[in-house]
């Protein structure tokens, strides 16, 4: 049996390294608009209790980063279908008086199925994190059937809006690239002709640069290579099985969700999501790294959230905060997960405070405790999978 790998423990450099910048501001703007416009409309019509449904519909826009226009549309369409199905299943559970008991087994099965679907269609970011978040959060709502029905409609409309935004931004990007390439050809024609001997025959440097940019962003979502240590751009394990990964997510969801229920604290889906977030990385080391990012970023983000919540924002101020924070999440989340969580943690808590019924202090405590639970579960599973017992063949595929 090989000796334990010391590289399972992340170092300071692993936590602080920034991944490459790949025009992430356009993604941030697109996602901020995907969630911002529906929230402004809900605020203007006095329908803010339905905001949570709009958020889950807007998650459609986070998929397909770096893909071509139609490649992203295809991936986002499948992601939208899975998110809407998750909202629908959660709404059905919410109608039951036993929803607190039903949500954990339902989320466990759903994590398994959504992992299989995600691997089948190869969506990026990988894993069933957003789907479990949608199902469990909607299932926890104590509202009537009419509100749930309207909410599903809001989620559907927001998902459709996100798809349209993806197409619009993609079309603008294509036009801009063509204009940039044409302008570059006109201004550097003589220089290019003089330097033709140093270029690869038949390759337009402008097109090559554009291709590299797209391939870099998309390729990290589809290759088996490990990402830069500070980056969480999606990678997939080289040696793994689809069913094995699905089982891993299901077990992580079950354990992480059961602990908060047993000790009696609210929002158990925060623990589930934290566990899935850590396990979505490609290798044992990167699972531990991402879970560590999750814990450190959440702790720091709780400080930011405490400051924001101290001002007791409400109404349009909350909407504007959500838009700004969501943009910040998308600007940094794939470059350094810890920095991204400085925006994500207050975003979630501002939205949670909007729902009312729970004090800011209790939200901060529950977020911290349940994130720690999910992180511990993710690290435990990652270590167990990496350090296999002697009886397992070294040739066996890793999860």
């Amino acid at each position: 049996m090989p000796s334990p790998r010391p590289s399972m423990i992340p170092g300071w450099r692993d936590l602080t390294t920034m991944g490459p910048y790949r025009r992430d501001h356009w993604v941030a703007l697109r996602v901020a608009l995907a969630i911002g416009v529906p929230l402004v409309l809900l605020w203007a019509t006095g329908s803010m209790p339905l905001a949570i449904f709009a958020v889950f519909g807007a998650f459609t826009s986070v998929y397909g980063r770096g893909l071509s226009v139609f490649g992203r549309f295809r991936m986002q369409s499948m992601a939208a279908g899975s998110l809407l199905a998750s909202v629908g299943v959660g709404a059905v559970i919410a109608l039951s008086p036993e929803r607190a008991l039903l949500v954990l087994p339902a989320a466990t099965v759903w994590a398994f199925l959504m992992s299989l679907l995600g691997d089948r269609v190869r969506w990026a970011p990988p894993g069933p994190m957003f789907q479990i978040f949608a199902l469990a959060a909607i299932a926890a709502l104590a509202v009537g059937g009419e509100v749930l029905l309207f909410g599903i409609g809001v989620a559907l409309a927001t998902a459709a809006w996100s798809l349209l935004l993806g197409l619009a931004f993609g079309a603008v990007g294509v036009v801009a690239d063509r204009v940039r390439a044409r302008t570059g050809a006109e201004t550097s024609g003589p220089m290019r002709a003089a330097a033709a001997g140093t270029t690869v025959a038949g390759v337009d440097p402008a097109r090559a640069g554009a291709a590299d940019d797209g391939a870099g962003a998309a390729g990290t979502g589809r290759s088996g290579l490990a990402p830069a240590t500070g980056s969480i751009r999606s990678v997939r394990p080289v040696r793994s099985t689809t069913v094995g990964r699905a089982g891993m997510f299901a077990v992580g969801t079950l354990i992480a969700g059961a602990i908060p229920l047993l000790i009696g604290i609210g929002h158990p889906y925060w623990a589930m999501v934290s566990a899935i977030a850590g396990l979505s990385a490609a290798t044992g080391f990167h699972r531990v790294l991402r879970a560590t990012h999750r814990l450190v970023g959440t702790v720091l983000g709780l400080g930011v959230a405490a400051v924001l919540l101290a001002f007791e924002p409400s109404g349009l101020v909350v909407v504007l905060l959500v838009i700004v924070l969501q943009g910040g999440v998308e600007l940094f989340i794939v470059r350094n997960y810890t920095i991204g969580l400085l925006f994500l943690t207050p975003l979630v808590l501002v939205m949670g405070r909007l729902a009312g019924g729970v004090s800011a202090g209790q939200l901060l405590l529950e977020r911290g405790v349940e994130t720690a639970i999910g992180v511990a579960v993710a690290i435990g599973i990652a270590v167990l999978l990496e350090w296999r017992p002697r009886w397992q063949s070294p040739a066996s595929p890793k999860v």
Side-chain angles (χ1 to χ4, degrees):
M1 175 179 174
S3 60
R5 295 175 53 203
S7 61
M8 286 287 288
I9 303 175
W12 174 254
R13 183 178 178 183
D14 298 316
L15 292 170
T16 57
T17 300
M18 288 286 289
Y21 171 78
R22 292 180 176 131
R23 296 192 282 185
D24 296 303
H25 65 285
W26 290 114
V27 179
L29 177 60
R30 174 167 54 80
V31 177
L33 286 174
I35 191 173
V37 171
L39 288 183
V40 169
L41 291 175
L42 290 174
W43 169 79
T45 58
S47 303
M48 284 303 287
L50 300 176
I52 188 172
F53 293 92
V55 170
F56 292 131
F59 281 162
T60 299
S61 61
V62 307
Y63 286 88
R65 181 189 291 251
L67 297 182
S68 65
V69 179
F70 293 107
R72 180 169 62 229
F73 180 77
R74 177 178 176 273
M75 181 177 290
Q76 288 186 345
S77 297
M78 292 182 288
S82 70
L83 289 166
L84 292 173
S86 301
V87 169
V89 172
V92 171
I93 296 173
L95 293 173
S96 171
E98 303 298 330
R99 57 181 175 273
L101 297 177
L102 293 175
V103 66
L104 182 57
T108 300
V109 173
W110 200 246
F112 185 87
L113 295 176
M114 290 297 101
S115 176
L116 293 178
L117 176 61
D119 276 357
R120 175 68 177 176
V121 303
R122 298 184 62 79
W123 63 39
M129 181 176 68
F130 294 109
Q131 289 73 19
I132 294 304
F133 190 12
L135 182 151
I138 297 299
L141 296 178
V143 296
E146 184 176 356
V147 174
L148 292 170
L149 189 59
F150 277 113
I152 292 173
V154 168
L156 177 60
T158 307
W161 163 243
S162 300
L163 290 172
L164 289 176
L165 271 179
L167 289 174
F169 270 68
V172 171
V174 169
V175 172
D177 286 343
R178 288 179 179 176
V179 170
R180 195 159 41 236
R182 186 177 301 171
T183 303
E186 291 175 354
T187 57
S188 62
M191 295 177 60
R192 186 177 298 164
T198 62
T199 60
V200 179
V203 177
D204 183 342
R207 292 181 180 273
D212 287 344
D213 180 73
T220 48
R222 295 180 177 274
S223 72
L225 300 176
T229 53
S231 168
I232 63 155
R233 293 189 187 273
S234 307
V235 294
R236 298 184 183 278
V238 176
R239 295 186 300 165
S240 60
T241 66
T242 299
V243 174
R245 282 192 299 276
M248 175 187 68
F249 286 124
V251 171
T253 299
L254 178 63
I255 298 174
I259 295 174
L261 289 175
L262 291 174
I263 63 179
I265 60 176
H267 304 90
Y269 51 84
W270 284 345
M272 300 182 203
V273 169
S274 291
I276 294 174
L279 294 173
S280 295
T283 67
F285 168 76
H286 285 94
R287 288 166 185 159
V288 173
L289 173 60
R290 189 174 304 185
T292 307
H293 270 295
R294 183 92 184 181
L295 182 61
V296 174
T298 296
V299 170
L300 297 176
L302 288 174
V304 177
V307 173
L308 294 177
L309 293 176
F311 291 97
E312 299 184 352
S314 61
L316 185 59
V317 175
V318 170
V319 172
L320 296 177
L321 275 176
V322 169
I323 294 172
V324 172
L325 291 171
Q326 184 66 65
V329 170
E330 297 306 321
L331 194 60
F332 291 103
I333 197 73
V334 299
R335 301 181 65 200
N336 185 284
Y337 200 30
T338 295
I339 296 178
L341 283 161
L342 291 178
F343 296 90
L344 179 61
T345 302
L347 169 65
V348 172
L349 294 177
V350 166
M351 291 296 297
R353 190 72 185 97
L354 185 65
V358 181
S359 67
Q362 185 176 348
L363 278 176
L364 291 167
L365 176 62
E366 290 180 356
R367 181 69 177 184
V369 171
E370 296 193 34
T371 297
I373 291 171
V375 164
V377 170
I379 291 177
I381 292 176
V383 172
L384 286 175
L385 291 175
E386 191 72 14
W387 296 344
R388 300 280 175 115
R390 294 177 182 275
W391 49 262
Q392 182 164 10
S393 168
S396 300
K398 291 185 177 182
V399 175

